[in-house]
């Protein structure tokens, strides 16, 4: 007995029923077949323009995602809904980019319009931001770089496409390599050769991410830059702009670095510029936005080769050296740049990543521990302890950074230093 997959409905039906009869649901039931080949398995999500299902392709024997739009949609009139769906299929099928979810097939089955896409199971950016906490800086940077690449590819289309609905729920995480991919071109608009689809009295977009000019039905490429800026603000602070204003009880939007102390202040004007009210004052492209942001972060990184270790520190019998190392993930031993954990070759210089960095090998000697009894009095700010009590570690290769903080050490006058004094000496 099939049951409606919509968690808000879940009505049971006799065997052989293919669709929910609830007028506010109308979901396809499990085992229903669309287009003669796509068998419904489960519901992935519902949206204003239709539903997305996980289906089995009985021809290719693979699992794919199927987006279905019913012709009797309650959201808009039938002609407009059909035109939007066909436009989504046509444009998305033309766009071929690693950060854009491709359309594999599309068609019509009775009163159902459908398009087939690869099944992306890595989740959405919206799910990562549910906790209202900022993402790790490097992760947020990579997602913005991927998003910028996709937006620029959309804007470079000959029909001058605007996505118009850049938001976390439309940004998926690819399960293979963790890259961010953009989907849902159901409200994308070509500025030339085709009539606008915005109905009188309302604009297309999602609240909180929509640009001011788009809200008045005058979307342009800069509108996507605005939405990207809101997404960037949310990734780096964990909050939407309106949430930041309310929670900080401020009269104006707080700067990102004021909400996330790990951010350098140099990124503030870059993110805020993307959300300028005047479209002309925003970044000229998504790529320019991401590049400016990455440059600001790069300038803030401390290079380990510039660090000089004090040679006058002498370890005593109870000396402990605290090490804080900023280590890139899966670093390349040739150029020192960070790569994804699943990568086999460096994406910057092409060098193989099978060889482990010497610094990473040395870090295996670092572990957490705490002293007990009288020893705890000599180690008041101990965090990470280097086994072997070594204070003569050589500076690692660029761009790694290494900092030593120690207690139980003696200075030039042979006076034992501890706590903050030892940290200053180190």
């Amino acid at each position: 007995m099939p049951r409606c997959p919509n968690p808000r409905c879940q009505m049971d039906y006799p065997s052989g029923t293919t669709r929910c009869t609830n007028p506010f649901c109308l979901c396809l039931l499990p085992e229903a077949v669309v287009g003669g080949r796509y068998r419904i398995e489960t519901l992935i999500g519902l949206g204003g323009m239709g539903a997305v299902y996980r289906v089995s392709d009985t021809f290719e024997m693979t699992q794919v995602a199927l987006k279905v739009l019913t012709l009797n949609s309650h959201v808009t009139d039938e002609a407009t809904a059909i035109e939007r769906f066909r436009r989504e299929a046509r444009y998305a099928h033309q766009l071929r980019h690693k950060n854009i979810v491709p359309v594999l097939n599309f068609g019509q089955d009775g009163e159902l319009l459908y398009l087939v896409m690869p099944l992306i199971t890595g989740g959405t950016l919206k799910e990562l931001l549910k906790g209202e906490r900022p993402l790790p800086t490097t992760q947020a940077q990579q997602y913005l770089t991927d998003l910028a690449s996709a937006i620029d590819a959309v804007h470079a289309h000959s029909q001058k496409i605007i996505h118009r609905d850049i938001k976390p729920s439309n940004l998926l995480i690819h399960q293979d390599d963790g890259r961010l991919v953009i989907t849902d071109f159901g409200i994308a608009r070509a500025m030339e050769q085709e009539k606008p689809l915005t109905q009188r009295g309302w604009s297309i977009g999602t609240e909180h991410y929509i640009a001011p000019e788009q809200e008045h039905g005058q979307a342009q490429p800069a509108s996507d830059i605005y939405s990207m800026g809101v997404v960037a603000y949310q990734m780096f602070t964990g909050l939407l702009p309106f949430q930041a204003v309310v929670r900080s009880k401020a009269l104006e939007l707080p700067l990102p670095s004021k909400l996330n102390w790990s951010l350098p202040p140099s990124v503030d004007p870059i993110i805020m510029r993307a959300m300028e009210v005047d479209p002309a004052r925003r970044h000229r492209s998504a790529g320019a936005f991401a590049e400016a942001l990455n440059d600001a972060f790069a300038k803030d990184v401390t290079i380990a080769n510039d660090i000089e270790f004090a040679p006058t520190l002498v370890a005593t019998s109870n000396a402990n050296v605290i090490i804080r190392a900023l280590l890139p993930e899966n670093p390349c031993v040739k150029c020192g740049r960070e790569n994804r954990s699943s990568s086999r070759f460096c994406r910057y210089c092409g060098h193989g990543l099978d060889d482990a960095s010497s610094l990473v090998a040395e870090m295996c000697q670092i572990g957490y521990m705490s002293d007990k009894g009288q020893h705890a009095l000599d180690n008041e700010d101990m965090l990470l302890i280097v086994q072997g009590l070594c204070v003569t570690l050589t500076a690692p290769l660029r761009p790694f950074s290494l900092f030593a903080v120690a207690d139980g050490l003696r200075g030039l006058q042979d006076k034992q230093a501890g706590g903050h004094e030892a940290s200053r000496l180190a």
Side-chain angles (χ1 to χ4, degrees), residues 24-63:
F24 299 101
C25 178
L26 301 176
C27 285
L28 296 175
L29 302 182
E31 301 303 321
V33 177
V34 178
R37 62 185 288 185
Y38 303 109
R39 186 175 64 249
I40 303 295
E41 290 191 0
T42 186
L43 178 69
I44 296 178
L46 287 169
M49 297 301 297
V52 181
Y53 301 89
R54 184 184 186 124
V55 302
S56 293
D57 185 345
T58 57
F59 286 9
E60 301 290 342
M61 302 303 294
T62 59
Q63 289 192 329

Side-chain angles (χ1 to χ4, degrees), residues 14 27 51 60 67 71 74 78 84 142 197 232 255 278 289 293 337 360 363 374 392 402 425:
C27 285
E60 301 290 342
K67 183 172 183 178
L71 295 187
H74 295 278
E78 181 177 313
R84 281 196 185 139
Q142 185 57 57
L197 292 178
L255 298 175
D278 183 0
F289 176 20
L293 202 59
R337 303 295 293 274
V360 175
M363 288 297 291
Q374 295 297 323
T392 58
L402 185 66
L425 287 173

Side-chain angles (χ1 to χ4, degrees), residues 316-329:
T316 62
S317 60
N318 64 346
N320 291 296
V321 180
I322 299 169
I323 295 296
R324 181 168 68 90
L326 305 180
L327 294 174
E329 181 182 8

Side-chain angles (χ1 to χ4, degrees), residues 305 328 330-339 344-360 396-400:
N305 285 350
N330 199 13
C332 175
V333 297
K334 183 176 180 180
C335 70
R337 303 295 293 274
E338 183 179 52
N339 293 272
R344 297 178 57 191
F345 299 92
C346 179
R347 55 179 174 167
Y348 298 99
C349 68
H351 187 74
L353 299 175
D354 294 333
D355 300 330
S357 167
S358 58
L359 180 60
V360 175
L397 298 175
R398 63 175 181 83
F400 308 132

